[in-house]
Amino acid sequence: MMKNLKTYFADPFDNRQIADSELLSFAEDHLDRLSAANTDGSLSAMRTATQTAFDVFAQATQREDTASNQRTGMTQTMAQAKTAFGQFVTRKEGVIRDALGGNKLTPGYLEFFPAGLSEYTRASLEQIEPLMTRFVLAAQRHTAALGNTLATDAAALQSGFVAARTGQLTKKGTVSAEKSAGKTARQTLTQQLTKNLLVIASQNVGHLERVTIFFDQARLTDH
Protein backbone atom coordinates (compact mmCIF):
# COMPACT_ATOMS: atom_id res chain seq x y z
CA MET A 1 0.00 0.00 0.00
CA MET A 2 1.32 3.39 -1.01
CA LYS A 3 2.18 5.79 1.82
CA ASN A 4 0.01 8.85 2.17
CA LEU A 5 1.89 11.68 0.49
CA LYS A 6 0.77 14.06 3.24
CA THR A 7 3.25 12.28 5.49
CA TYR A 8 6.10 13.97 3.67
CA PHE A 9 4.64 17.42 4.33
CA ALA A 10 4.46 16.91 8.11
CA ASP A 11 7.09 17.94 10.64
CA PRO A 12 8.08 14.63 12.27
CA PHE A 13 10.00 16.45 15.01
CA ASP A 14 6.97 18.51 16.08
CA ASN A 15 6.07 16.05 18.81
CA ARG A 16 5.69 17.16 22.44
CA GLN A 17 6.63 13.65 23.54
CA ILE A 18 10.12 14.58 22.41
CA ALA A 19 11.62 16.37 25.40
CA ASP A 20 13.56 19.56 24.81
CA SER A 21 16.73 17.83 26.01
CA GLU A 22 16.20 14.98 23.54
CA LEU A 23 15.62 17.38 20.67
CA LEU A 24 18.76 19.32 21.53
CA SER A 25 20.81 16.12 21.76
CA PHE A 26 19.45 14.91 18.42
CA ALA A 27 20.08 18.26 16.73
CA GLU A 28 23.59 18.59 18.17
CA ASP A 29 24.49 15.11 16.94
CA HIS A 30 22.98 15.95 13.54
CA LEU A 31 25.20 19.03 13.35
CA ASP A 32 28.27 16.89 14.01
CA ARG A 33 27.19 14.43 11.30
CA LEU A 34 26.62 17.26 8.83
CA SER A 35 30.14 18.53 9.50
CA ALA A 36 31.62 15.08 8.93
CA ALA A 37 29.67 14.60 5.68
CA ASN A 38 30.37 18.10 4.37
CA THR A 39 33.57 17.19 2.56
CA ASP A 40 32.76 19.28 -0.51
CA GLY A 41 31.08 22.21 1.25
CA SER A 42 27.66 21.50 -0.23
CA LEU A 43 26.09 21.20 3.23
CA SER A 44 27.59 24.38 4.65
CA ALA A 45 24.48 26.55 4.23
CA MET A 46 22.29 23.82 5.74
CA ARG A 47 24.62 23.43 8.68
CA THR A 48 24.80 27.17 9.32
CA ALA A 49 21.01 27.52 9.33
CA THR A 50 20.68 24.53 11.63
CA GLN A 51 23.36 25.82 14.01
CA THR A 52 21.57 29.16 14.27
CA ALA A 53 18.24 27.52 15.05
CA PHE A 54 19.92 25.20 17.55
CA ASP A 55 21.67 28.04 19.38
CA VAL A 56 18.49 30.11 19.67
CA PHE A 57 16.52 27.19 21.07
CA ALA A 58 19.29 26.11 23.46
CA GLN A 59 19.53 29.64 24.85
CA ALA A 60 15.74 29.88 25.15
CA THR A 61 15.54 26.67 27.17
CA GLN A 62 18.31 27.90 29.47
CA ARG A 63 16.52 31.21 30.07
CA GLU A 64 13.23 29.43 30.76
CA ASP A 65 14.91 27.06 33.20
CA THR A 66 16.61 29.94 35.01
CA ALA A 67 13.39 31.95 35.27
CA SER A 68 11.47 28.91 36.50
CA ASN A 69 14.06 28.22 39.20
CA GLN A 70 14.00 31.85 40.29
CA ARG A 71 10.21 31.78 40.52
CA THR A 72 10.39 28.65 42.66
CA GLY A 73 12.86 30.43 44.92
CA MET A 74 10.53 33.42 45.25
CA THR A 75 7.62 31.13 46.11
CA GLN A 76 9.71 29.50 48.82
CA THR A 77 10.63 32.93 50.17
CA MET A 78 6.94 33.82 50.30
CA ALA A 79 6.17 30.64 52.21
CA GLN A 80 8.96 31.35 54.68
CA ALA A 81 7.69 34.91 55.18
CA LYS A 82 4.16 33.62 55.79
CA THR A 83 5.42 31.10 58.32
CA ALA A 84 7.48 33.77 60.07
CA PHE A 85 4.44 36.03 60.36
CA GLY A 86 2.31 33.19 61.73
CA GLN A 87 4.97 32.41 64.34
CA PHE A 88 5.20 36.10 65.24
CA VAL A 89 1.44 36.39 65.74
CA THR A 90 1.41 33.20 67.80
CA ARG A 91 4.10 34.59 70.10
CA LYS A 92 2.31 37.92 70.49
CA GLU A 93 -1.25 36.62 70.94
CA GLY A 94 -0.93 36.31 74.70
CA VAL A 95 0.65 39.75 75.01
CA ILE A 96 -2.20 41.28 73.01
CA ARG A 97 -4.85 39.44 75.01
CA ASP A 98 -3.38 40.56 78.33
CA ALA A 99 -2.92 44.17 77.23
CA LEU A 100 -6.44 44.51 75.80
CA GLY A 101 -8.60 43.15 78.59
CA GLY A 102 -7.31 39.76 79.53
CA ASN A 103 -9.68 37.58 77.48
CA LYS A 104 -10.59 36.72 73.89
CA LEU A 105 -13.92 38.52 73.83
CA THR A 106 -12.85 42.13 74.24
CA PRO A 107 -13.37 44.46 71.26
CA GLY A 108 -9.66 45.22 71.06
CA TYR A 109 -8.65 41.56 70.99
CA LEU A 110 -11.27 40.80 68.33
CA GLU A 111 -9.81 43.49 66.08
CA PHE A 112 -6.75 41.24 65.85
CA PHE A 113 -8.39 37.83 66.07
CA PRO A 114 -12.05 37.91 64.95
CA ALA A 115 -11.78 34.26 63.91
CA GLY A 116 -9.12 33.22 66.41
CA LEU A 117 -5.37 32.65 66.11
CA SER A 118 -5.80 29.74 63.70
CA GLU A 119 -6.99 32.12 60.99
CA TYR A 120 -3.38 33.30 60.71
CA THR A 121 -1.63 29.99 61.17
CA ARG A 122 -3.83 28.13 58.68
CA ALA A 123 -4.02 30.85 56.01
CA SER A 124 -2.79 30.07 52.50
CA LEU A 125 -0.31 32.22 50.60
CA GLU A 126 -3.25 33.88 48.85
CA GLN A 127 -5.11 34.57 52.11
CA ILE A 128 -2.36 35.79 54.40
CA GLU A 129 -1.68 39.29 53.02
CA PRO A 130 -5.09 40.81 54.00
CA LEU A 131 -4.66 39.26 57.46
CA MET A 132 -1.24 40.88 57.73
CA THR A 133 -2.77 44.25 56.87
CA ARG A 134 -5.51 43.78 59.46
CA PHE A 135 -2.97 42.89 62.14
CA VAL A 136 -0.68 45.83 61.36
CA LEU A 137 -3.57 48.33 61.36
CA ALA A 138 -4.90 46.95 64.63
CA ALA A 139 -1.45 47.18 66.20
CA GLN A 140 -1.14 50.79 65.03
CA ARG A 141 -4.50 51.66 66.59
CA HIS A 142 -3.48 50.18 69.95
CA THR A 143 0.04 51.56 70.40
CA ALA A 144 -1.01 53.14 73.70
CA ALA A 145 -1.55 49.68 75.19
CA LEU A 146 0.87 47.63 73.12
CA GLY A 147 3.67 50.06 72.28
CA ASN A 148 5.11 50.87 68.87
CA THR A 149 7.34 47.83 68.47
CA LEU A 150 4.52 45.38 67.74
CA ALA A 151 3.22 47.46 64.84
CA THR A 152 6.73 48.14 63.54
CA ASP A 153 7.80 44.49 63.63
CA ALA A 154 4.54 43.30 62.07
CA ALA A 155 4.84 45.88 59.27
CA ALA A 156 8.41 44.74 58.57
CA LEU A 157 7.30 41.13 58.26
CA GLN A 158 4.47 42.17 55.96
CA SER A 159 6.86 44.17 53.78
CA GLY A 160 9.10 41.12 53.42
CA PHE A 161 6.16 39.03 52.31
CA VAL A 162 4.91 41.67 49.84
CA ALA A 163 8.39 42.03 48.34
CA ALA A 164 8.61 38.28 47.83
CA ARG A 165 5.09 38.21 46.38
CA THR A 166 5.92 41.02 43.95
CA GLY A 167 9.08 39.22 42.86
CA GLN A 168 7.18 35.96 42.44
CA LEU A 169 4.55 37.60 40.24
CA THR A 170 7.24 39.29 38.16
CA LYS A 171 9.01 35.97 37.66
CA LYS A 172 5.70 34.34 36.77
CA GLY A 173 5.39 36.80 33.89
CA THR A 174 9.00 36.19 32.92
CA VAL A 175 8.48 32.42 32.87
CA SER A 176 5.41 32.85 30.66
CA ALA A 177 7.34 35.05 28.23
CA GLU A 178 10.29 32.66 28.12
CA LYS A 179 7.97 29.70 27.51
CA SER A 180 6.46 31.52 24.55
CA ALA A 181 9.89 32.38 23.16
CA GLY A 182 11.03 28.80 23.70
CA LYS A 183 8.00 27.44 21.86
CA THR A 184 8.76 29.63 18.86
CA ALA A 185 12.44 28.71 18.90
CA ARG A 186 11.64 25.01 19.16
CA GLN A 187 9.31 25.23 16.15
CA THR A 188 12.01 26.96 14.14
CA LEU A 189 14.48 24.20 14.96
CA THR A 190 12.08 21.32 14.21
CA GLN A 191 11.14 22.88 10.89
CA GLN A 192 14.82 23.31 9.99
CA LEU A 193 15.46 19.66 10.85
CA THR A 194 12.52 18.66 8.66
CA LYS A 195 13.87 20.69 5.75
CA ASN A 196 17.24 19.02 6.22
CA LEU A 197 15.62 15.59 6.25
CA LEU A 198 13.72 16.24 3.03
CA VAL A 199 16.71 17.73 1.20
CA ILE A 200 19.03 14.93 2.28
CA ALA A 201 16.41 12.31 1.40
CA SER A 202 15.97 13.85 -2.06
CA GLN A 203 19.70 13.50 -2.61
CA ASN A 204 19.71 9.87 -1.50
CA VAL A 205 16.50 8.42 -2.91
CA GLY A 206 16.49 4.63 -2.63
CA HIS A 207 19.46 4.51 -0.24
CA LEU A 208 17.77 4.00 3.12
CA GLU A 209 21.02 2.96 4.76
CA ARG A 210 22.43 6.47 4.31
CA VAL A 211 20.04 8.00 6.83
CA THR A 212 22.43 7.07 9.63
CA ILE A 213 25.12 9.21 8.05
CA PHE A 214 23.09 12.26 8.96
CA PHE A 215 20.67 11.29 11.75
CA ASP A 216 20.67 9.20 14.92
CA GLN A 217 16.95 8.59 15.54
CA ALA A 218 17.77 6.53 18.63
CA ARG A 219 18.38 9.83 20.45
CA LEU A 220 14.64 10.43 20.21
CA THR A 221 13.98 7.10 22.01
CA ASP A 222 10.69 5.53 20.84
CA HIS A 223 9.07 8.63 19.38
Side-chain angles (χ1 to χ4, degrees):
M1 182 177 179
M2 182 177 177
K3 292 183 179 180
N4 190 323
L5 296 181
K6 291 181 180 179
T7 302
Y8 301 99
F9 286 78
D11 179 350
F13 307 105
D14 183 18
N15 182 342
R16 291 311 306 181
Q17 290 185 329
I18 299 175
D20 290 345
S21 58
E22 289 181 332
L23 183 63
L24 286 169
S25 175
F26 176 82
E28 187 172 31
D29 177 75
H30 173 55
L31 284 166
D32 290 340
R33 291 168 187 261
L34 284 178
S35 294
N38 191 28
T39 54
D40 61 356
S42 61
L43 300 173
S44 295
M46 176 187 291
R47 194 193 183 289
T48 298
T50 306
Q51 184 70 62
T52 298
F54 174 87
D55 290 343
V56 172
F57 181 53
Q59 292 164 10
T61 58
Q62 290 172 358
R63 289 194 303 270
E64 181 182 338
D65 185 61
T66 297
S68 180
N69 288 338
Q70 290 174 338
R71 180 189 175 191
T72 298
M74 288 292 185
T75 302
Q76 291 174 345
T77 300
M78 283 176 59
Q80 291 167 356
K82 182 185 82 70
T83 298
F85 190 84
Q87 292 171 342
F88 172 79
V89 171
T90 299
R91 290 195 305 271
K92 299 301 181 181
E93 186 272 337
V95 174
I96 295 169
R97 185 176 66 249
D98 291 343
L100 299 179
N103 65 71
K104 298 181 179 182
L105 299 178
T106 62
Y109 181 88
L110 291 174
E111 287 183 43
F112 288 90
F113 305 104
L117 176 60
S118 63
E119 185 179 16
Y120 292 93
T121 58
R122 295 178 182 177
S124 66
L125 288 175
E126 291 73 24
Q127 296 168 335
I128 193 64
E129 190 174 350
L131 301 183
M132 290 178 171
T133 299
R134 176 217 287 165
F135 189 96
V136 170
L137 292 176
Q140 291 171 345
R141 287 193 295 270
H142 290 280
T143 55
L146 296 167
N148 293 318
T149 302
L150 179 69
T152 301
D153 290 348
L157 288 169
Q158 181 185 27
S159 294
F161 177 86
V162 170
R165 175 63 171 164
T166 300
Q168 193 260 2
L169 289 174
T170 298
K171 286 303 175 183
K172 182 178 181 180
T174 301
V175 170
S176 179
E178 294 298 354
K179 282 185 178 294
S180 179
K183 182 178 180 180
T184 299
R186 179 184 168 108
Q187 184 179 51
T188 298
L189 176 58
T190 63
Q191 289 180 351
Q192 181 62 51
L193 291 171
T194 299
K195 292 175 184 177
N196 296 0
L197 176 63
L198 293 175
V199 170
I200 291 169
S202 71
Q203 296 170 348
N204 294 275
V205 174
H207 297 281
L208 304 185
E209 74 284 355
R210 294 180 185 175
V211 68
T212 57
I213 296 175
F214 303 96
F215 301 100
D216 179 12
Q217 191 171 350
R219 290 177 181 270
L220 302 179
T221 62
D222 296 325
H223 307 302

